[in-house]
């Protein structure tokens, strides 16, 4: 009975670790799909051989074979380092950086593309300066593309001269690479922190990609707004200095914002809604960060998808998406 229990545990360990190993090999080996499939198949065959050796009474050879396999894999895995030196997609070619002198923040590599389609766009990277003494608002923007419970999170800062700047945490795609939630577990992407014009990062989601977009006015003191703005700048500067991998769960557009906010707001709780990012507004509402109206009302009035798509020439995009939004209805 003891031997059977040990054997079953060994099989369980082999199955779970081999599933991880095969996915790691598939997403990280820089070879064509047939070669990667061959390596993954080879791993499965060797893992089955290890199980058969243990079953046939040769426990140490079988366990030793698998331990050796996994040790070699982990040495290779540990040597996979993030890099800034890749053939990046045009819209992720740079990371925003910032310099601070008193209240004035100068941001380099602010993205301000004009998007007609996902393949047709005007490339424009700018330098912009902001006076933090004039910072007056923070908005949480969510963009859903059809994956249940998941949304991309953007944070937009508004100034009393009517200017807005949006920060977004992105996977840093290479050319001809597309997002994969599974690949995000296996070092497939680096991280990028970008400051963008709202006409870029927000409008491309509502008007070009056809995503469902919502905006929520966040209630927080101006000192906390300033701290959050500077947290984004610091995060971007650190990332520009040292590349890091994106991770679907532990280093994504929601968790990184949460980690920044936790340094500003004491006692901010962990919650499963940080993983189900489409429910982040519900979480922010529960910790007192949204307007004092029912969440359903905030969501309905903050849905700017159709307003954005119906925008007319000459209209200000930032004003249009805030029409009727609680917290903005009484603002000039």
């Amino acid at each position: 009975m003891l031997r059977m229990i040990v054997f079953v545990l060994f099989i369980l360990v082999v199955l779970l670790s081999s599933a991880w190993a095969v996915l790691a090999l598939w997403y990280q080996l820089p070879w064509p799909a047939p070669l990667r499939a061959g390596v993954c198949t080879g791993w499965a065959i060797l893992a089955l051989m290890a199980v058969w050796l243990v079953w046939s009474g040769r426990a140490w050879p079988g366990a030793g074979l698998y331990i050796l396999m996994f040790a070699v894999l982990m040495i290779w895995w540990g040597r996979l380092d993030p890099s800034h030196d890749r053939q990046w997609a045009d819209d992720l070619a740079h990371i925003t950086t910032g310099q601070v002198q008193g209240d004035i923040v100068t941001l380099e590599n602010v993205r301000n593309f004009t998007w007609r389609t996902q393949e047709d766009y005007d490339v424009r990277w700018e330098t912009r300066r902001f006076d933090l003494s004039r910072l007056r608002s923070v908005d949480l923007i969510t963009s859903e593309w059809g994956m249940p419970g998941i949304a991309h999170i953007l944070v937009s800062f508004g100034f009393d001269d009517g200017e807005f700047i949006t920060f977004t945490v992105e996977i840093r795609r290479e050319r001809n690479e597309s997002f994969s939630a599974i690949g995000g577990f296996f070092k497939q992407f680096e991280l990028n922190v970008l400051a963008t014009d709202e006409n870029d990062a927000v409008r491309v989601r509502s008007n070009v990609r056809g995503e469902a977009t919502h905006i929520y006015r966040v209630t927080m003191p101006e000192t906390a707004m300033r701290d959050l703005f500077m947290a984004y700048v610091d995060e971007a500067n650190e990332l520009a200095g040292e590349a890091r991998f994106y991770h679907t769960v532990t280093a994504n557009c929601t968790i990184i914002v949460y980690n920044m906010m936790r340094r500003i707001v004491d006692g901010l709780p962990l919650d499963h809604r940080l993983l189900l990012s489409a429910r982040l507004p519900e979480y922010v509402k529960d910790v007192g960060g949204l307007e004092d109206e029912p969440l359903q009302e905030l969501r309905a009035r903050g849905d700017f998808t159709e307003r954005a798509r119906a925008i007319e020439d000459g209209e200000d995009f930032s004003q249009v998406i805030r029409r009727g939004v609680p917290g903005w209805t009484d603002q000039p």
Side-chain angles (χ1 to χ4, degrees), residues 228-287:
L228 181 58
F229 188 100
M230 287 307 307
Y232 267 108
V233 174
D234 292 341
E235 187 78 21
N237 285 341
E238 289 179 12
L239 195 59
E242 183 177 357
R244 301 202 322 260
F245 281 120
Y246 171 91
H247 190 279
T248 301
V249 172
T250 62
N252 57 42
C253 63
T254 305
I255 295 300
I256 288 178
V257 176
Y258 167 77
N259 288 336
M260 289 190 288
M261 283 300 303
R262 191 173 58 176
R263 296 194 292 267
I264 300 169
V265 180
D266 291 334
L268 201 60
L270 277 171
D271 192 284
H272 70 280
R273 290 169 293 187
L274 295 169
L275 300 179
L276 299 173
S277 50
R279 296 184 61 188
L280 185 64
E282 179 184 334
Y283 171 81
V284 177
K285 172 74 171 172
D286 286 350
V287 298

Side-chain angles (χ1 to χ4, degrees), residues 113-120 141-145 154 198-214 303-313 315-318 320-321:
F113 283 25
T114 299
W115 298 86
R116 289 172 289 275
T117 69
Q118 294 193 64
E119 292 77 32
D120 182 17
I141 299 173
T142 65
S143 183
E144 301 172 53
W145 64 91
L154 307 94
E198 283 191 338
N199 272 288
D200 181 338
V202 180
R203 194 171 191 167
V204 71
R205 286 174 165 81
S206 60
N207 292 28
V208 176
R209 299 179 187 173
E211 299 177 6
T213 45
H214 297 77
D303 184 349
F304 65 86
T305 311
E306 294 305 321
R307 290 198 298 275
R309 293 173 186 172
I311 194 168
E312 298 179 1
D313 292 341
E315 288 190 293
D316 184 285
F317 180 79
S318 295
V320 169
I321 65 176

Side-chain angles (χ1 to χ4, degrees), residues 289-305:
L290 296 184
E291 294 291 316
D292 190 20
E293 295 192 29
L295 182 63
Q296 186 174 1
E297 180 75 7
L298 294 176
R299 179 175 173 81
R301 293 172 61 185
D303 184 349
F304 65 86
T305 311

